[in-house]
């Protein structure tokens, strides 16, 4: 058994991890992939030469560098905590999708683009978790098809949201209901905190769980941003804080969607 380690500079979220997994799927010499998103590190356990898959990793253009390749005595075995991890991820998926619906609904009712944008971020998370869970064991072509549909759907919704933000910037005549912004965002903050707790409770060092933890931590920061925007709407009596935070989140959603679309290539 060989162990080859890569530093991948542009690997910082679950989207890049999925890209790499799809790219390397089907290569028989690869026995296991260990991801460390925080350190931008990928360790590949394999038989045979590293050159069999090295160029496949470089082809993704994520600034990958092979830093080490050596013999390994590590045993490849099934993770006994798989059931616990999947159960936690299903809960997180349900929470994210549920709050996508809640925030989208109350976002339009309260005229808050910050809430609408945050709902799309929740949807983006749901898609990443769904790709990890629902596509397990599926053919590569099916995974790519799911990724492509999800990516285009997110971009379309985010683009519509940005157009609405521009319309309101140009001729703004609608004040968002800051009470609803703050209340719903606080609930979303609690939901994401619960999601983070469920993921941490698994005590898993597996890549997909670590990735989910990073993703959910970022969501908490976004929730706090919408709460702050709601407070600024109240203190300034201006809709612009809501439009600014909405624009920022829409751009984050589009960036994530573009990463997902790379999975379809």
């Amino acid at each position: 058994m060989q162990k080859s380690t890569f530093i991948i500079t542009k690997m910082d979220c679950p989207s890049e991890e999925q890209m790499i997994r799809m790219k390397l799927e089907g290569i028989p010499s690869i026995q296991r992939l260990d991801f460390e998103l925080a350190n931008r590190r990928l360790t590949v356990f394999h038989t045979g030469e590293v050159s069999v898959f090295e160029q496949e990793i470089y082809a993704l253009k994520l600034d990958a560098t092979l830093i080490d390749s050596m013999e390994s005595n590590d045993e490849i075995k099934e993770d006994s905590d798989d059931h616990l991890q999947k159960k936690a991820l299903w809960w997180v998926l349900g929470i994210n999708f549920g709050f996508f619906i809640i925030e989208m609904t109350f976002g339009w009712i309260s005229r808050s683009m910050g809430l609408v944008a945050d709902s799309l971020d929740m949807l983006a998370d749901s898609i990443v978790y769904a790709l990890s869970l629902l596509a397990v064991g599926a053919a590569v072509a099916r995974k790519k098809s799911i990724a492509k549909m999800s990516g285009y759907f997110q971009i379309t919704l985010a683009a519509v949201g940005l157009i609405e933000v521009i319309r309101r910037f140009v001729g703004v005549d609608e004040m968002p209901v800051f009470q609803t912004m703050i209340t719903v965002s606080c609930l979303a903050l609690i939901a994401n905190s619960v999601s983070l707790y469920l993921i941490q409770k698994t005590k898993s060092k597996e890549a997909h769980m670590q990735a989910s933890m990073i993703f959910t931590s970022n969501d908490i920061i976004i929730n706090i941003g919408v709460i702050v925007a709601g407070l600024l709407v109240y203190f300034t009596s201006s809709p612009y804080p809501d439009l600014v935070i909405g624009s920022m989140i829409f751009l984050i959603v589009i960036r994530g969607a573009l990463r997902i679309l790379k999975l379809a290539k």
Side-chain angles (χ1 to χ4, degrees):
M1 181 73 64
Q2 294 286 118
K3 179 172 71 173
S4 298
T5 303
F6 295 82
I7 292 295
I8 306 178
T9 307
K10 295 182 180 179
M11 182 181 70
D12 60 2
C13 82
S15 296
E16 283 87 12
E17 179 187 339
Q18 285 279 20
M19 287 171 61
I20 295 168
R21 287 187 182 278
M22 285 188 170
K23 190 70 171 177
L24 301 182
E25 187 173 20
I27 298 178
S29 62
I30 295 177
Q31 305 300 308
R32 190 178 79 205
L33 301 174
D34 283 355
F35 291 85
E36 298 177 51
L37 291 187
N39 298 318
R40 285 15 179 221
R41 184 185 296 264
L42 165 64
T43 302
V44 183
F45 292 86
H46 61 97
T47 57
E49 297 296 325
V50 65
S51 58
V52 173
F53 56 85
E54 185 178 6
Q55 293 304 317
E56 296 294 323
I57 295 175
Y58 294 155
L60 291 171
K61 297 181 180 180
L62 295 175
D63 289 348
T65 303
L66 176 65
I67 61 171
D68 193 39
S69 188
M70 62 177 69
E71 289 188 9
S72 172
N73 294 321
D74 292 4
E75 293 183 4
I76 308 299
K77 56 185 179 181
E78 294 295 325
D79 188 350
S80 59
D81 295 328
D82 273 357
H83 178 71
L84 180 62
Q85 293 175 17
K86 288 182 178 180
K87 183 178 179 180
L89 284 175
W90 274 113
W91 271 105
V92 172
L93 171 60
I95 290 171
N96 274 270
F97 189 75
F99 266 86
F100 155 64
I101 296 173
I102 292 171
E103 287 192 301
M104 178 64 76
T105 301
F106 283 96
W108 284 112
I109 291 175
S110 65
R111 302 182 297 278
S112 169
M113 297 310 296
L115 281 181
V116 171
D118 194 29
S119 75
L120 292 185
D121 185 62
M122 288 287 202
L123 176 63
D125 293 352
S126 300
I127 289 171
V128 170
Y129 298 136
L131 284 172
S132 298
L133 288 167
L134 300 180
V136 171
V140 176
R142 184 185 172 195
K143 291 182 181 180
K144 290 183 177 181
S145 177
I146 294 172
K148 180 180 287 188
M149 288 187 295
S150 301
Y152 283 128
F153 180 62
Q154 280 181 240
I155 287 178
T156 300
L157 291 180
V160 171
L162 282 174
I163 291 171
E164 178 64 14
V165 167
I166 293 171
R167 185 190 73 80
R168 295 190 185 190
F169 261 119
V170 173
V172 65
D173 56 358
E174 298 177 330
M175 281 288 293
V177 182
F178 72 88
Q179 297 95 328
T180 304
M181 283 181 66
I182 295 173
T183 301
V184 176
S185 293
C186 284
L187 292 174
L189 178 62
I190 293 171
N192 276 318
S193 297
V194 170
S195 296
L196 187 60
Y197 168 74
L198 290 172
I199 295 170
Q200 290 177 332
K201 190 178 178 182
T202 66
K203 297 180 180 179
S204 172
K205 295 188 181 297
E206 290 294 307
H208 62 288
M209 299 304 290
Q210 293 295 315
S212 299
M213 194 177 301
I214 292 171
F215 229 45
T216 305
S217 298
N218 291 339
D219 291 341
I220 290 174
I221 295 172
I222 291 175
N223 293 147
I224 294 172
V226 178
I227 292 171
V228 171
L231 292 172
L232 289 174
V233 168
Y234 169 67
F235 286 115
T236 64
S237 297
S238 168
Y240 292 116
D242 175 58
L243 297 179
V244 170
I245 191 66
S247 299
M248 292 171 62
I249 300 172
F250 280 133
L251 292 174
I252 291 172
V253 172
I254 289 175
R255 179 173 176 265
L258 290 174
R259 286 178 168 178
I260 291 176
L261 282 176
K262 289 183 180 179
L263 298 174
K265 292 185 178 179

